[in-house]
């Protein structure tokens, strides 16, 4: 889809290629070219007390094949090596690429009921009125219902707390192509007075949960041991890399200290795509980390195993509360174009891409950690940041960064020395 030289081209040459490959209009292309696409009126509509906007680099992860389709993946973030790591992992996963699936886009809204005398009777009363409650909630969002969404179930949970027994009502809502927070919150508010009448209690909090256990995506990939050996320039055999990575996985699976950083690496990739598409990355973060502890112990969101041929198989499942409509997905002009670049058919499709990116990112970090160590890959771009930190400007940045990388001595003191030497 893209030229072999894509990586080494200038940003404007890369933009030419992407614009051609993704059929961007002249206006869409111009948004990228102007480095700061959010105008004052749009920014001022999005949040309060606006002063300005704050730009981050937007890159494209390449080599992704998901369910047989090639995908270009926009990523927006400040951290070096993430775009390169994802693209490298995707390249090594060829020719099969990633297989991804997803559940229906069901979010859960929670309504907290307190002061109920007979909780079991209250549960029965709610169950008996499920249909009427569903109708009332759905009436709040005819647009969502017309797209095939709306309430799919109403469940109750009894919560024993220090302030007595509470009844937590769960409203399951199919959000179709919306992330759905506003839609679900509005529905929860709409039925809370009916719940008070049905239960004799008082409704307190009415808000969705980000622990979207019914809206998940799963991605799997197999990395051939031959490709793994080659990735170390055959300094290690494929079997050695697979074993080292399985050891790394067991570490993350069994130790929350490691699992936390393992999952941070997964979210490096996922958040970057979530931000590029105007979605809510705090919602994704909250959902992912809560999901990682769903069985009572915080663990890795990915799992790894050895296939019978000795290759490495990776898998990830996580909640994917993201949309193609709503929130900033349509108000931020660049988000719209990023969604177009990905050529997505539905929010589920985006969730599947996110799962594949998360798995790729995790694979890239685990492979590096299990073989040459994480610093090597980070060094080139990291060295540039350190050079800037030491006060380098313009051409000095590349010169000092290259020298520090060659010396394998990247730190601010050395950068300052090199800077002063030149002066
Ligand atoms: P929204 O309210 O802006 O838009 C969603 C609406 O779009 C739907 O309710 C529906 O009426 C309409 N729609 C049109 N076409 C649709 C389609 N094909 N599929 C589904 N709906 C369609 O956005 P939202 O998704 O309800 O809420 C997302 C926003 O809520 C995000 O900006 C998020 O940051 C924010 N938020 C998040 C939380 C949280 O995560 N805890 C809480 C509150 C608000």
């Amino acid at each position: 889809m893209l030229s072999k030289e894509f990586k080494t081209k200038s940003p404007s040459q890369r933009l030419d290629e992407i614009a051609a490959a993704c059929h961007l209009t002249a206006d869409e292309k111009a948004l990228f070219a102007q480095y700061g696409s959010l105008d004052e009126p749009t920014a001022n509509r999005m949040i309060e007390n606006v002063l300005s906007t704050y730009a981050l680099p937007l890159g494209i992860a390449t080599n992704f094949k998901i369910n047989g389709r090639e995908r270009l993946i926009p990523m927006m973030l400040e951290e070096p090596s993430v775009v390169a790591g994802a693209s490298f992992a995707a390249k090594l996963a060829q020719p099969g690429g990633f297989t991804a699936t997803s559940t229906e886009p069901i979010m859960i809204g929670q309504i907290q009921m307190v002061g109920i005398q007979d909780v079991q009777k209250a549960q029965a009363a709610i169950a008996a009125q499920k249909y009427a409650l569903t109708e009332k909630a759905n009436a709040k969002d005819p647009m969502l219902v017309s797209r095939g969404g709306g309430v799919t179930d109403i469940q109750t949970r009894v919560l024993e707390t220090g302030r007595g027994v509470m009844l937590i009502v769960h409203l399951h809502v199919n959000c179709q192509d919306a992330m759905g927070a506003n839609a679900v919150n509005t529905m929860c508010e709409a039925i809370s007075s009916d719940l008070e009448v049905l239960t004799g209690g008082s409704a307190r909090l009415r808000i969705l949960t980000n622990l979207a256990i019914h809206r998940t995506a799963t991605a799997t990939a197999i990395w051939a041991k031959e490709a793994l050996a080659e990735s170390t320039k055959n300094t290690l055999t494929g079997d050695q890399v697979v074993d080292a990575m399985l050891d790394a996985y067991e570490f993350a699976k069994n130790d929350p200290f490691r699992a936390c950083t393992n999952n941070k690496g997964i979210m490096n990739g996922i958040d970057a795509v979530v931000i590029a598409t105007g979605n809510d990355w705090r919602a994704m973060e909250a959902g992912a980390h809560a999901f990682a502890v769903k069985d009572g112990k915080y663990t890795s969101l990915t799992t790894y195993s050895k296939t019978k041929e000795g290759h490495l198989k990776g898998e990830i499942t996580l909640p994917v509360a993201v949309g193609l409509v709503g929130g900033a997905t349509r108000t931020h002009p660049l988000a719209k174009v990023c969604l177009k670049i990905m050529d997505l058919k539905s929010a589920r499709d985006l969730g599947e891409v996110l799962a594949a990116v998360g798995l790729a990112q995790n694979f890239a970090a685990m492979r590096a950690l299990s073989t040459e160590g994480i610093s090597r890959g980070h060094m080139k771009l990291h060295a540039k940041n350190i050079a800037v930190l030491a006060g380098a400007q313009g051409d000095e940045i590349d010169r000092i960064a290259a020298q520090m990388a060659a010396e394998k001595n990247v730190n601010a003191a050395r950068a300052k020395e090199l800077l002063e030497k030149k002066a």
Side-chain angles (χ1 to χ4, degrees), residues 141 143-144 147 175-183 185 208 210 280 282-283 325-327:
D141 203 334
M143 172 80 91
L144 178 61
R147 311 279 160 129
C175 294
Q176 291 292 355
D177 288 329
M179 182 268 190
N182 292 321
N185 294 345
L208 94 163
N210 291 107
D280 183 339
R282 289 86 52 207
V325 297

Side-chain angles (χ1 to χ4, degrees), residues 162-347:
R163 290 183 58 82
V165 174
M166 296 176 184
L167 188 65
I168 311 300
V169 181
H170 277 196
L171 197 62
H172 291 207
V173 183
N174 183 323
C175 294
Q176 291 292 355
D177 288 329
M179 182 268 190
N182 292 321
V184 171
N185 294 345
T186 308
M187 287 180 171
C188 288
E189 287 174 7
I191 62 165
S192 60
S193 55
D194 298 71
L195 292 174
E196 288 182 333
V197 173
L198 285 170
T199 63
S202 304
R204 294 269 199 262
L205 272 57
R206 298 157 296 171
I207 186 162
L208 94 163
T209 169
N210 291 107
L211 182 51
I213 55 167
H214 301 304
R215 190 179 197 176
T216 61
T218 297
T220 58
I222 291 174
W223 283 275
K225 55 182 178 180
E226 295 78 13
L228 293 175
E230 209 170 301
S231 78
T232 70
K233 301 201 167 57
N234 294 312
T235 54
L236 296 172
T237 67
D239 291 330
Q240 283 173 321
V241 180
V242 171
D243 283 338
M245 289 187 68
L246 288 175
D247 288 342
Y249 162 58
E250 285 297 325
F251 184 12
K253 180 181 166 187
N254 290 290
D255 179 9
F257 289 91
R258 172 63 208 139
C260 177
T261 316
N262 179 76
N263 293 343
K264 187 272 180 186
I266 291 171
M267 301 313 288
N268 273 345
I270 291 180
D271 284 346
V273 185
V274 171
I275 296 170
T277 57
N279 273 289
D280 183 339
W281 73 94
R282 289 86 52 207
M284 273 299 294
E285 283 279 340
H289 292 289
F291 195 72
V293 75
K294 71 181 189 330
D295 297 325
K297 186 179 172 198
Y298 188 89
T299 188
S300 169
L301 286 165
T302 49
T303 58
Y304 287 88
S305 58
K306 199 188 281 196
T307 67
K308 63 179 189 313
E309 298 83 11
H311 306 312
L312 186 73
K313 181 177 178 190
E315 180 163 335
I316 188 171
T317 297
L318 82 169
V320 282
V322 286
L324 304 186
V325 297
T329 58
R330 298 285 168 107
T331 47
H332 195 297
L334 261 193
K336 265 195 294 195
V337 193
C338 287
L339 287 167
K340 178 172 173 177
I341 287 174
M342 275 195 273
D343 191 22
L344 300 160
K345 293 194 172 29
S346 63

Side-chain angles (χ1 to χ4, degrees), residues 109-131:
Q110 296 192 295
I111 304 153
Q112 176 199 25
M113 305 297 301
V114 301
I116 298 174
Q117 296 302 316
D118 186 337
V119 170
Q120 279 182 348
K121 202 169 140 202
Q123 286 180 291
I126 293 170
Q129 288 302 312
K130 231 184 215 184
Y131 181 76

